[in-house]
Amino acid sequence: MTETTAPTTMSSKAQKDGQELVQIRNLVKYFPIRGGLLQRTVAEVKAVDDVSFFIRAGETLGLVGESGCGKTTVGRAMLRLIEPTSGSVFFNGVDVLGLNPRELKTMRRYMQIIFQDPYSSLDPRVPIGESVIEGLKIHNIGSPRERFDLTIETLHKVGLEDYHARRYPHEFSGGQRQRIGIARALALRPQFIVADEPVSALDVSIQSQVLNILKDLQAEFNLTYLFVAHNLSVVEHISDRVAVMYLGKIIELASREDLFRNPLHPYTQALMSAIPVADPTIRRDRIILPGDVPSPVNPPSGCRFHPRCPVAMPHCATEQPVFKEVSPDHWTACWRVE
């Protein structure tokens, strides 16, 4: 099977469990707001503001937070689907933001994305088999027959049949379309996948099926996931570690067990209090946050959460807390914790 040659830096050594496959350093993405007759930049939406974290090979990092906090922007900026304003993204030791178009094309074989809305990400005029095989053609992988066989094999991996390859997107249910999205990302046999809220639009029963497919594929192909979601129950089910975002910044990051057992940041505690409990005899004390999420165009000074924080102190409004490790592999940015 012929294929494009990967860069020499794409070595297999980083695929060993426990090593850092992806590193994000001081990632920033501002979207300009233009106005006036000359359409000059009059303000900026600070969607992602100085975010840093890493993802180990073979693990799933859950990224959670309210709508509009910058979760999806982080995932897309990592893959350069949108260009970051500044910062660094390292994949297998290679700075993705420093690659030229030819090198970036080669790198993208190893970094894929599953979109939130599978229907809008599929061409309605193209059979889904052609959609899955397109990436193989772009990267010149295999002969036409080998590409066809790999496409059918990939469809089987996500629970679809041979005849589905000839059908069009409108002939599938929402859950089946998401399986197609997974198959399209999996066809190139990547190492890293950004899953952008892949189950948020699905029924609960279908969510569990898609999550189990993702976990099975991760075990089979040693995949590494950034799993973007706002449903904490889903994140708890699939993630190894969890990062919590608020208004463009990560405010807490820890292992799944540590975060759900002992959340340290007041915002994380409020999120945890909203998780439904299956046992009707158990009553959970709900933390209701006052007000709305501030605008990312003009975020608050100091700690961005302080206008809504139930335990804010005076200097929370003036000094930005440092994101630091307060216990082994548990990071947070809160003056109260310090």
Side-chain angles (χ1 to χ4, degrees):
M1 181 179 292
T2 59
E3 59 183 68
T4 55
T5 303
T8 55
T9 48
M10 299 292 294
S11 61
S12 60
K13 64 179 181 179
Q15 280 301 320
K16 297 177 181 177
D17 290 340
Q19 286 192 287
E20 296 174 8
L21 180 68
V22 181
Q23 294 177 325
I24 310 301
R25 300 176 185 171
N26 309 111
L27 187 66
V28 174
K29 178 57 183 178
Y30 293 169
F31 292 97
I33 300 175
R34 305 187 187 278
L37 191 62
L38 300 178
Q39 288 296 293
R40 293 173 175 166
T41 300
V42 297
E44 291 178 316
V45 177
K46 300 176 175 63
V48 178
D49 198 0
D50 194 18
V51 165
S52 300
F53 59 88
F54 64 86
I55 309 176
R56 300 184 180 100
E59 80 166 350
T60 299
L61 176 67
L63 187 59
V64 302
E66 293 173 282
S67 296
C69 71
K71 306 184 300 295
T72 294
T73 304
V74 168
R76 294 183 179 226
M78 290 170 63
L79 304 182
R80 283 183 65 180
L81 297 180
I82 54 176
E83 290 292 335
T85 303
S86 63
S88 301
V89 178
F90 290 91
F91 176 73
N92 253 342
V94 179
D95 186 359
V96 176
L97 305 187
L99 299 178
N100 61 39
R102 183 183 180 89
E103 293 169 333
L104 180 61
K105 176 185 173 182
T106 303
M107 180 71 79
R108 278 185 169 153
R109 176 185 171 183
Y110 303 93
M111 305 172 71
Q112 290 291 305
I113 185 169
I114 301 169
F115 292 99
Q116 178 179 0
D117 184 356
Y119 188 67
S120 63
S121 67
L122 295 170
D123 190 335
R125 301 164 297 179
V126 175
I128 64 102
E130 290 296 318
S131 294
V132 174
I133 210 171
E134 183 179 13
L136 301 174
K137 292 179 179 178
I138 290 173
H139 290 275
N140 194 30
I141 297 174
S143 65
R145 181 64 196 183
E146 289 172 328
R147 288 195 286 263
F148 175 79
D149 291 341
L150 185 56
T151 297
I152 297 300
E153 178 189 346
T154 304
L155 291 177
H156 290 169
K157 294 288 185 184
V158 299
L160 298 175
E161 300 297 334
D162 298 22
Y163 62 86
H164 285 134
R166 299 186 297 273
R167 293 187 175 180
Y168 291 84
H170 71 273
E171 299 180 82
F172 294 92
S173 66
Q176 288 175 319
R177 289 182 196 136
Q178 196 57 279
R179 292 169 189 252
I180 296 166
I182 296 171
R184 190 169 55 175
L186 183 66
L188 291 170
R189 298 300 185 261
Q191 298 173 5
F192 173 62
I193 295 178
V194 174
D196 183 14
E197 303 203 36
V199 298
S200 62
L202 306 179
D203 294 336
V204 175
S205 59
I206 306 301
Q207 285 184 13
S208 62
Q209 296 176 17
V210 173
L211 291 175
N212 289 334
I213 287 174
L214 290 173
K215 294 186 76 171
D216 292 342
L217 293 175
Q218 182 176 39
E220 182 175 354
F221 295 101
N222 193 30
L223 296 172
T224 303
Y225 293 139
L226 174 68
F227 191 89
V228 178
H230 60 264
N231 188 326
L232 285 169
S233 298
V234 169
V235 170
E236 184 180 14
H237 174 72
I238 197 170
S239 301
D240 298 299
R241 292 187 302 137
V242 181
V244 182
M245 281 194 74
Y246 183 80
L247 208 60
K249 287 185 174 292
I250 291 182
I251 49 92
E252 189 162 5
L253 191 157
S255 67
R256 174 189 59 197
E257 295 82 4
D258 201 8
L259 189 78
F260 280 82
R261 183 184 68 251
N262 182 34
L264 299 178
H265 197 282
Y267 176 65
T268 310
Q269 294 170 357
L271 291 181
M272 297 297 178
S273 73
I275 299 176
V277 181
D279 189 345
T281 63
I282 299 177
R283 183 176 180 83
R284 174 174 283 168
D285 293 332
R286 179 73 191 278
I287 301 174
I288 305 296
L289 298 177
D292 297 320
V293 179
S295 170
V297 177
N298 186 26
S301 60
C303 175
R304 295 189 174 183
F305 184 61
H306 85 265
R308 307 175 69 198
C309 182
V311 294
M313 300 181 293
H315 66 279
C316 293
T318 57
E319 300 179 53
Q320 183 172 300
V322 178
F323 188 66
K324 61 189 294 185
E325 190 173 18
V326 294
S327 62
D329 209 21
H330 195 148
W331 301 69
T332 191
C334 180
W335 291 119
R336 277 285 183 183
V337 175
E338 295 188 14

